[in-house]
Amino acid sequence: MIALSLGEIASLIGGKLHTTEMASADTIVSGTVDTDSRSLRAGDIFVAKPGEVTDGHRFVGAARESGAELAIVEHLVDEPIAQIVVADVIEALAVFARAVVARVRAQGRLRVVGVTGSNGKTTTKNFLARILSDEGPTVAPIASYNNEVGAPLTMLRVTDDTEYLVCEFGASAPGEIARLAGLVEPDVVVELMVGLAHAGGFGGIEETAKAKAELIAAAKPGGTAVLNLDDPRVAAMAEPARERGLQIVGFGQGDAEVRATGVDVDAAGTSFVVEIGAERIPVRLQVLGAHHVGNALAAIAATRALGVGPADAAARLETVEIAERWRMQPMGGEKVRIINDAYNASPDSMAAALRTLAQITGPDERTVAVLGAMSELGESAGDEHDRIGLLAVRLNIQRIVVVGDDARRLFLAAVGEGSWDGEAVHLPDAGAAFEYLRDELRPGDRVLVKSSNSAGLRFLGDRLGESFS
């Protein structure tokens, strides 16, 4: 964070400062701002976020013991640490982030990229960060810091030297992207795709599209909108982008300014050619899956708008080994290969992962899909689990292991489609699945582990990876 006095911070966020003998209004802080007391170091700032399970105010003392200089709270806590009392710490966090980014932008160096989409946000922000970090000091989200807490915490990591800020914007309800992106007014906005992820919170895919388009409305006038022209709902955002005064750059595998051809996926990675005008750039990603081609195109197009040569961008992307932990992460050993992709799941990402499993498995190898529930789909949950079960059979996945009661419809659909002779099994939980797979898996198996975060199968993937390493 930039250096600010405790008094300045109190003024910026509209709170009342309570000092101590060790910290006055003139005390300068420039450390990290965080809601996790365990992550703090000397000079950091602790935000006491109330939560559904616990209350951050209980950990103000732990934050002080870790070295925090300041706590932002909703009520004074009996601990010898400087505190700023505000009415709402989440709102204060947003106001704080807006103010800090505005101060750095006023110096004229900082440019902001905002990314949204139903799938691919985290991979794309990692691609962007890899490309831009070679251009200058870059701040990007840790993991999937893309909500009302994570996005402002990322913004508050900028310093006076930061040249690029990459923001990932997720949402589970209308208005969230508008509120978060409005804190920074991105110079470049990236719209990846509109799918059924979190559709239950929006009321359907058309409402989801409207929510994703909020990023367009929050962009800095005169900036650039990078749009996935392979997705008709994203392509339709071109008109509001023009009305906003944005330059439009399309990407995709069809008729687009930044286009991919010759896509090929194997067990070692993903190859394609980027075409921009007369330029042809071969790319060999280490990241598995044809669905990551669009994410790479988006990163190349967005950084091109910031002045990075596409050939340089492509070369940097080739050094990325995995998209993120638990996202198409190769594990296991030579005999049994595990792909742990269980950080999150939507119908689109589930289908893409299953297709990748089928593509990378040789004729003498066996496909095994370990599948859990897809969450936050609302009324469409049953039909979408049915669809994935049918797809798994039609892709000739040879073992379909369905875990948990919430995914039972997927199992029943697979059985109904023809996987009734032991090819599909249903197990109650991850523990039972591990015991089954430990005995079932054999040399030559390629195993996909895929579910939403709430199903917890990412830890099952870790156990399998360790067991077969």
Side-chain angles (χ1 to χ4, degrees):
M1 193 189 77
I2 63 174
L4 294 168
S5 71
L6 301 187
E8 285 179 297
I9 295 172
S11 178
L12 287 174
I13 65 177
K16 179 175 177 55
L17 174 63
H18 297 262
T19 59
T20 68
E21 292 182 0
M22 301 296 293
S24 70
D26 295 327
T27 298
I28 301 296
V29 291
S30 59
T32 298
V33 182
D34 208 332
T35 58
D36 187 345
S37 62
R38 298 166 297 182
S39 302
L40 299 174
R41 300 290 183 272
D44 287 350
I45 299 171
F46 177 61
V47 179
K49 179 179 75 71
E52 296 179 2
V53 178
T54 189
D55 185 347
H57 292 79
R58 294 176 53 199
F59 301 98
V60 170
R64 177 190 61 78
E65 291 173 1
S66 295
E69 191 80 44
L70 171 69
I72 299 175
V73 297
E74 292 182 358
H75 59 79
L76 201 61
V77 177
D78 186 17
E79 289 288 347
I81 181 176
Q83 300 172 51
I84 298 175
V85 180
V86 297
D88 185 326
V89 296
I90 301 302
E91 179 59 28
L93 187 63
V95 171
F96 195 9
R98 183 199 299 272
V100 167
V101 172
R103 287 200 180 193
V104 178
R105 284 196 107 167
Q107 300 174 20
R109 298 177 64 188
L110 180 65
R111 287 185 284 180
V112 181
V113 184
V115 182
T116 195
S118 297
N119 299 111
K121 296 184 294 296
T122 300
T123 299
T124 303
K125 67 87 177 170
N126 284 340
F127 284 169
L128 287 164
R130 175 62 193 90
I131 295 169
L132 293 173
S133 62
D134 280 6
E135 299 293 313
T138 299
V139 170
I142 300 167
S144 293
Y145 271 32
N146 61 22
N147 62 10
E148 63 180 1
V149 175
L153 290 179
T154 298
M155 297 168 190
L156 285 165
R157 288 170 48 215
V158 301
T159 68
D160 292 320
D161 296 327
T162 304
E163 295 184 24
Y164 301 100
L165 169 62
V166 179
C167 294
E168 177 184 339
F169 298 114
S172 56
E176 292 182 7
I177 292 174
R179 182 167 59 253
L180 293 174
L183 300 177
V184 291
E185 286 195 330
D187 301 274
V188 179
V189 294
V190 179
E191 296 276 1
L192 294 171
M193 66 171 296
V194 177
L196 284 171
H198 308 296
F202 294 107
I205 196 164
E206 297 304 330
E207 294 304 312
T208 302
K210 292 178 183 177
K212 299 303 180 185
E214 292 171 7
L215 183 57
I216 299 290
K220 186 177 181 180
T224 301
V226 177
L227 306 180
N228 177 10
L229 301 187
D230 291 343
D231 185 325
R233 291 183 176 87
V234 174
M237 297 178 192
E239 186 56 37
R242 291 189 188 95
E243 293 174 357
R244 181 71 175 170
L246 305 180
Q247 297 180 352
I248 298 169
V249 178
F251 69 91
Q253 296 185 43
D255 185 14
E257 184 176 341
V258 180
R259 187 164 75 104
T261 60
V263 177
D264 182 64
V265 180
D266 59 36
T270 308
S271 299
F272 60 99
V273 176
V274 178
E275 298 185 358
I276 305 175
E279 195 170 8
R280 303 287 186 273
I281 306 166
V283 182
R284 175 66 175 175
L285 296 178
Q286 298 182 62
V287 179
L288 295 174
H291 52 295
H292 288 306
V293 172
N295 302 330
L297 292 176
I300 291 169
T303 54
R304 178 170 172 256
L306 295 171
V308 182
D312 289 337
R316 295 167 196 173
L317 290 182
E318 291 184 331
T319 69
V320 178
E321 295 182 358
I322 62 171
E324 182 82 47
R325 188 183 179 192
W326 298 318
R327 287 178 170 86
M328 299 302 288
Q329 182 178 0
M331 306 179 80
E334 289 298 319
K335 293 181 179 180
V336 177
R337 304 285 184 92
I338 312 293
I339 302 171
N340 192 350
D341 193 32
Y343 184 83
N344 221 331
S346 69
D348 294 307
S349 69
M350 187 77 86
L354 285 169
R355 292 191 180 99
T356 299
L357 176 65
Q359 287 174 320
I360 67 172
T361 303
D364 298 326
E365 298 170 331
R366 186 174 66 156
T367 50
V368 180
V370 184
L371 307 176
M374 300 176 287
S375 62
E376 300 183 59
L377 295 178
E379 294 180 355
S380 64
D383 290 343
E384 293 303 323
H385 283 87
D386 289 348
R387 188 171 71 86
I388 295 302
L390 297 177
L391 177 64
V393 176
R394 291 168 185 175
L395 289 171
N396 196 31
I397 304 300
Q398 291 152 287
R399 285 289 183 274
I400 303 170
V401 180
V402 181
V403 184
D405 289 341
D406 290 344
R408 187 171 179 80
R409 282 277 295 261
L410 195 161
F411 165 71
L412 294 174
V415 170
E417 187 67 7
S419 291
W420 50 265
D421 192 20
E423 298 94 341
V425 298
H426 180 261
L427 298 165
D429 53 41
F434 177 76
E435 295 299 325
Y436 170 82
L437 290 162
R438 187 174 58 183
D439 296 333
E440 171 67 21
L441 296 181
R442 65 195 191 201
D445 284 350
R446 294 196 182 274
V447 185
L448 169 70
V449 183
K450 181 70 173 172
S451 74
S452 283
N453 202 321
S454 59
L457 296 197
R458 62 196 185 280
F459 303 118
L460 170 61
D462 286 345
R463 289 186 72 187
L464 292 171
E466 182 177 349
S467 293
F468 290 96
S469 63

